[in-house]
Amino acid sequence: MRELSLYWKVCLTNGAVFVVGALALALSPARVSEQVLASEAVVLTAGLVLMLVVNGALLRLSLAPVDRVIRAMATVDLAHPGARLEQPSSGPGARLVEGWNDLLDRIEAERAAGGARALAAQEAERHRIAQELHDEVGQSLTVVLLGLKRAEDQVPPDLPEIAEGLALVRESARAGLDDVRRVARRLRPGVLEDLGLHSALAALASDFAALDRGHLTRTTSPGLPPLSSDAELVVYRVAQEALTNVARHAAAREVALSLTRVGETVVLEVRDDGRGVAELRPGSGVLGMRERASLVGGELTIESAPDQGTTVRLVVPT
């Protein structure tokens, strides 16, 4: 019976019920007159109801896994992988559930592999752009700064207005150079590669403090377990995106950034007391954080309420 298709399973179930009903009529003392009596009609009705009930119960037992798979198809959420149906012991339904679980395994594996390739390509593109900003734009601005300084030094003492104008232009060029360097650091976290996650988070906190968008408190627990390079990059990017959202949208007064150990996990939390939102609408930033978290087996949660701030929490297994 385990190897039969669902079609033959239904046919044999119905056939078995009909055969049992026919044998009951043939072997039992019950008979039907040419003109059906009331008592005979009652017996026939009872027999028919019994056959329908037995047939329905057997079909329900056989087809229940099919309904479970249909419900799972309607409610599956690939953003939260790992949900699987309980495997029946036998029958065509067992093969259907097994096939559905295998399909989810393949989809999640291919999705994770595709996401990893996409994020790797994104990081490589970030690295290339940061390198070009540093090597080309940064050097060009440095040459401009040196030229302006030389021109300012050559201005005659009796022309202070020209000297002041050159000084203002030079300071604007210096500010532009600082902006280019800051963008390059955000695109390529060199401090993460060179000095590790703690220093990278400290640099993020310093950059946020320079924006003057709220007072930031950074907390890091000592003795954190080591993370893989991919996990450290995910923690850094999530913290970076969360702080960027706070600076752009939250209008917060107090911001807390913490990295702690909870059991066998490392927990990153970014909390602010800003305006918050009643309903979170996932944009590209939130989706990107969720994708990154899933690649390292982590879990990202975002809690927000109007006028009560927002909390971004990332849990990464060690």
Side-chain angles (χ1 to χ4, degrees):
M1 292 291 288
R2 178 179 175 80
E3 302 302 325
L4 290 176
S5 66
L6 188 60
Y7 169 78
W8 285 109
K9 181 84 172 191
V10 173
C11 288
L12 290 178
T13 299
N14 290 331
V17 173
F18 295 152
V19 168
V20 170
L23 290 176
L25 289 176
L27 301 178
S28 69
R31 295 292 181 269
V32 179
S33 305
E34 185 176 349
Q35 292 184 348
V36 180
L37 301 176
S39 59
E40 295 172 343
V42 171
V43 173
L44 289 175
T45 302
L48 177 61
V49 170
L50 180 62
M51 290 174 62
L52 292 175
V53 169
V54 172
N55 187 62
L58 293 176
L59 288 180
R60 180 177 179 83
L61 184 63
S62 299
L63 300 181
V66 178
D67 293 333
R68 290 168 51 205
V69 171
I70 292 174
R71 289 194 298 270
M73 289 179 178
T75 58
V76 64
D77 184 6
L78 294 179
H80 298 85
R84 297 294 184 270
L85 294 177
E86 183 179 354
Q87 181 73 36
S89 59
S90 62
R95 296 201 302 275
L96 179 63
V97 172
E98 182 179 1
W100 168 252
N101 290 338
D102 290 342
L103 177 63
L104 286 181
D105 290 338
R106 292 195 300 272
I107 290 176
E108 291 177 2
E110 292 174 2
R111 189 168 181 264
R117 289 192 296 270
L119 290 177
Q122 185 185 72
E123 290 296 332
E125 186 67 11
R126 285 171 179 259
H127 186 280
R128 184 187 66 80
I129 295 174
Q131 194 72 29
E132 291 182 358
L133 285 174
H134 181 273
D135 294 344
E136 298 181 11
V137 181
Q139 291 182 4
S140 298
L141 287 175
T142 302
V143 172
V144 171
L145 279 173
L146 294 175
L148 289 172
K149 177 61 176 175
R150 187 179 300 110
E152 185 181 354
D153 294 338
Q154 294 175 356
V155 174
D158 57 341
L159 298 174
E161 296 85 0
I162 296 178
E164 291 178 1
L166 289 175
L168 289 176
V169 174
R170 180 166 54 85
E171 289 304 317
S172 297
R174 186 184 304 278
L177 179 59
D178 292 339
D179 290 339
V180 168
R181 289 172 175 171
R182 184 173 62 254
V183 171
R185 287 197 306 269
R186 289 178 61 85
L187 289 172
R188 178 176 178 261
V191 65
L192 177 64
E193 300 175 1
D194 300 334
L195 302 177
L197 182 59
H198 295 276
S199 299
L201 293 180
L204 278 180
S206 299
D207 291 342
F208 182 86
L211 297 175
D212 194 20
R213 299 296 176 85
H215 177 262
L216 181 106
T217 303
R218 183 174 61 89
T219 304
T220 303
S221 297
L224 290 176
L227 296 175
S228 65
S229 58
D230 290 339
E232 288 189 346
L233 181 59
V234 167
V235 172
Y236 176 84
R237 289 301 187 195
V238 169
Q240 184 183 52
E241 183 67 28
L243 290 177
T244 300
N245 290 337
V246 172
R248 290 178 179 176
H249 311 296
R253 295 183 301 272
E254 295 291 334
V255 183
L257 169 66
S258 64
L259 187 67
T260 58
R261 177 174 185 170
V262 179
E264 297 300 322
T265 63
V266 172
V267 179
L268 169 74
E269 188 172 277
V270 180
R271 185 176 66 257
D272 67 80
D273 62 352
R275 58 171 58 100
V277 293
E279 180 181 358
L280 184 66
R281 297 179 180 178
S284 59
V286 174
L287 293 177
M289 287 192 292
R290 294 193 188 280
E291 288 286 344
R292 290 179 182 277
S294 65
L295 289 178
V296 294
E299 181 180 359
L300 180 79
T301 57
I302 302 177
E303 300 175 356
S304 185
D307 299 325
Q308 297 183 17
T310 301
T311 300
V312 177
R313 194 168 191 264
L314 172 67
V315 180
V316 179
T318 56

